[in-house]
Amino acid sequence: MALALRPPRFQPLPAPIPASTASTTALAARPSSSAHAIICAAAASPFTEATSSSRYRRDAWSYAASDGDSSSSSAAAAAAAASSGRRDDEIALQLPELRRLLEALRASRGRGAEGEGGGGGPGRVALVGTGPGDPELLTLKAVRAIEAADLVLYDRLVSNDVLDLVGEGARLLYVGKTAGYHSRTQEEIHELLLSFAEAGANVVRLKGGDPLVFGRGGEEMDFLQQQGIRVEVIPGITSASGIAAELGIPLTHRGVATSVRFLTGHSRNGGPDPLYVAENAADPDTTLVVYMGLSTLPSLAPKLMKHGLPPDTPAVAVERGTTPQQRMVFAMLKDLVNEVKSEDLVSPTLIIIGKGMQTDDGMNLGRRLCTFPDDITGNRDS
């Protein structure tokens, strides 16, 4: 039985969660210092950074240290966790309140079963893809799930605008990962999902992009289903599709790019080399889309050229794509590493490599988005 049908439902937070204070300035263009690059101006991150104030405002409920804590003391505990930056301290501060919430859910489930004749069975988990950041790219099904959630576990790459759609009566808990800092291990995330679903909560797991494209959604789905929990996967627009559409870059194009390949830029044990073998990806007729590839790009680009990809293959690196803070660098493959370094792009950055960007559709839209004095082949518009 869904938690929404059993009184008492979660009590709302003492005050509505304020919208993110991050600035959302419109995309602004400036000329690039290189004829082979486009740089668009950026503003504050639209996503939840590890120690962002918006994160601790949303999660302040989970830092209450004792029964009867006021919202101000909860906020103070959250601020202390933010300033400490220590993962162990943070989890320890949250555990008492998480346990109390579980107990309240279990008690509510028991009363519902006895007083209303309900089954009191476990809740469900929805793995929801939120797309690359633009809230207008959400599916209607995703919006309905977000609005109906009792507990939301969200990743770093779920944009602040998407999180603003969560109902006031729901609880939000950050479980994001970034290089060098995992707020929760994957195993801890599994246990949180299981514990709250077993207690009868309607749990929503928000993931950037699509849950089943480099999102570890398959692992979470398999774990929960093995424990008898009903899991629904709600797809999201993966970054490759959303960002390519935003820039007008065809991922496939008749006679130019006959296939597209999604690659992970992650390395083994934090090393400099990407996980896959570069020679298998060096196909001039395939568009390559590299997720999470900033740190391994210096190794990937020369390997692709060594194994046959032409050095003048068009490429683009897009930081925070589809959001007002989007920045991008257009360059030939041989120049991409230097251009990305010179502009200091940060995660999340998607990399697209392929001849599809040589088509008029892709290059003309790129010019409209930013000042682009010369295209990457050295020709100007007529």
Side-chain angles (χ1 to χ4, degrees):
M1 180 185 298
L3 187 65
L5 301 179
R6 294 192 314 273
R9 190 177 162 90
F10 289 147
Q11 295 301 311
L13 294 173
I17 297 169
S20 170
T21 57
S23 60
T24 54
T25 57
L27 188 68
R30 62 176 173 83
S32 167
S33 59
S34 167
H36 300 291
I38 297 176
I39 308 299
C40 294
S45 174
F47 302 108
T48 302
E49 302 304 333
T51 57
S52 65
S53 60
S54 60
R55 169 195 168 188
Y56 288 100
R57 283 197 302 272
R58 292 188 193 102
D59 299 0
W61 67 271
S62 65
Y63 290 90
S66 62
D67 287 329
D69 262 354
S70 66
S71 60
S72 61
S73 60
S74 300
S83 62
S84 71
R86 292 178 56 191
R87 175 182 172 278
D88 290 341
D89 286 354
E90 188 171 315
I91 290 178
L93 283 168
Q94 291 178 327
L95 279 176
E97 189 65 17
L98 288 172
R99 291 191 181 110
R100 277 193 288 271
L101 182 57
L102 269 174
E103 290 169 3
L105 279 168
R106 288 167 180 151
S108 173
R109 173 187 174 192
R111 285 194 298 273
E114 295 171 5
E116 299 174 11
R124 65 164 191 148
V125 174
L127 306 180
V128 179
T130 64
D134 180 356
E136 293 189 354
L137 295 179
L138 285 170
T139 65
L140 292 174
K141 194 171 187 179
V143 172
R144 284 195 291 267
I146 291 169
E147 292 176 340
D150 297 312
L151 178 70
V152 176
L153 304 185
Y154 65 101
D155 280 345
R156 177 201 167 207
L157 297 184
V158 178
S159 72
N160 293 315
D161 288 339
V162 170
L163 290 172
D164 287 341
L165 299 174
V166 176
E168 288 185 7
R171 298 289 195 250
L172 292 95
L173 187 66
Y174 178 73
V175 293
K177 303 184 183 79
T178 187
Y181 175 79
H182 289 188
S183 64
R184 302 272 176 171
T185 66
Q186 190 62 44
E187 290 72 23
E188 288 168 339
I189 294 171
H190 287 173
E191 290 301 325
L192 282 168
L193 292 169
L194 176 62
S195 296
F196 282 96
E198 286 182 332
N202 181 14
V203 184
V204 168
R205 176 77 168 98
L206 292 184
K207 293 174 174 289
D210 182 273
L212 303 183
V213 179
F214 301 126
R216 303 190 75 165
E219 298 173 40
E220 294 172 5
M221 177 175 60
D222 289 346
F223 172 81
L224 292 167
Q225 288 178 340
Q226 288 172 13
Q227 308 302 319
I229 301 299
R230 183 163 60 95
V231 181
E232 179 181 19
V233 179
I234 300 178
I237 294 179
T238 190
S239 296
S241 298
I243 291 172
E246 177 79 7
L247 302 185
I249 296 171
L251 293 176
T252 62
H253 196 84
R254 187 172 60 173
V256 178
T258 57
S259 64
V260 60
R261 183 173 181 179
F262 295 169
L263 309 169
T264 175
H266 272 178
S267 59
R268 288 186 176 88
N269 302 319
D273 291 327
L275 287 170
Y276 66 95
V277 180
E279 56 263 34
N280 292 338
D283 177 6
D285 296 325
T286 295
T287 301
L288 303 180
V289 182
V290 185
Y291 291 69
M292 305 164 290
L294 268 185
S295 62
T296 57
L297 180 61
S299 172
L300 170 64
K303 282 186 176 181
L304 290 173
M305 290 184 286
K306 176 182 177 181
H307 292 295
L309 207 57
D312 61 353
T313 301
V316 62
V318 187
E319 173 193 310
R320 301 181 291 194
T322 78
T323 73
Q325 296 84 359
Q326 175 176 287
R327 293 200 301 159
M328 55 188 173
V329 173
F330 277 90
M332 290 184 284
L333 179 59
K334 66 182 179 66
D335 300 320
L336 186 62
V337 172
N338 289 336
E339 295 288 357
V340 167
K341 285 182 178 178
S342 68
E343 297 302 329
D344 197 25
L345 297 190
V346 299
S347 173
T349 291
L350 189 81
I351 299 163
I352 304 175
I353 304 168
K355 294 187 296 185
M357 279 177 280
Q358 288 178 327
T359 66
D360 288 341
D361 289 344
M363 298 312 296
N364 285 342
L365 184 52
R367 290 192 189 92
R368 291 201 298 273
L369 286 170
C370 299
T371 300
F372 194 16
D374 296 291
D375 69 24
I376 57 178
T377 61
N379 298 320
R380 287 186 174 274
D381 284 332
S382 56

